[in-house]
Amino acid sequence: VKRALEVNANAVKENAENAIILKKIARLTPREREVFDRVTAGKQSKVIAHELGSSPRTVEIQRARMMKKLEAATLQDLVRMAIAAGVNL
């Protein structure tokens, strides 16, 4: 019973963390979300810029804003968030 309670507590904590991540992702603008999806898929800024029809510098600015909103310091943080939130990579 003790083990089951521990497993349940961990699941509740994980679900709460995932909900927070989903709320943060929901705050992104549509363009920031497009950049988020492409960055977490491993694409470089110049490739993203070409796909979105903008300049690499614009993508870098959008990426910086996105990372600030998501409170992510690294690309690995972004990928962890995407995985935790169930975002398709």
Side-chain angles (χ1 to χ4, degrees), residues 19-30 33 69-70:
I20 291 168
I21 292 169
L22 286 171
K23 286 181 183 179
K24 288 179 182 180
I25 291 172
R27 290 193 315 235
L28 298 176
T29 65
R33 179 56 196 261
K69 285 183 182 180
L70 295 177

Side-chain angles (χ1 to χ4, degrees), residues 2-47:
K2 184 177 178 181
R3 178 71 180 134
L5 290 173
E6 289 173 1
V7 169
N8 184 52
N10 289 337
V12 168
K13 181 181 175 187
E14 186 176 312
N15 286 339
E17 291 170 356
N18 291 350
I20 291 168
I21 292 169
L22 286 171
K23 286 181 183 179
K24 288 179 182 180
I25 291 172
R27 290 193 315 235
L28 298 176
T29 65
R31 182 55 69 134
E32 290 167 344
R33 179 56 196 261
E34 289 176 323
V35 172
F36 173 80
D37 291 341
R38 286 167 171 82
V39 167
T40 56
K43 295 184 179 180
Q44 296 178 340
S45 294
K46 63 183 177 181
V47 173

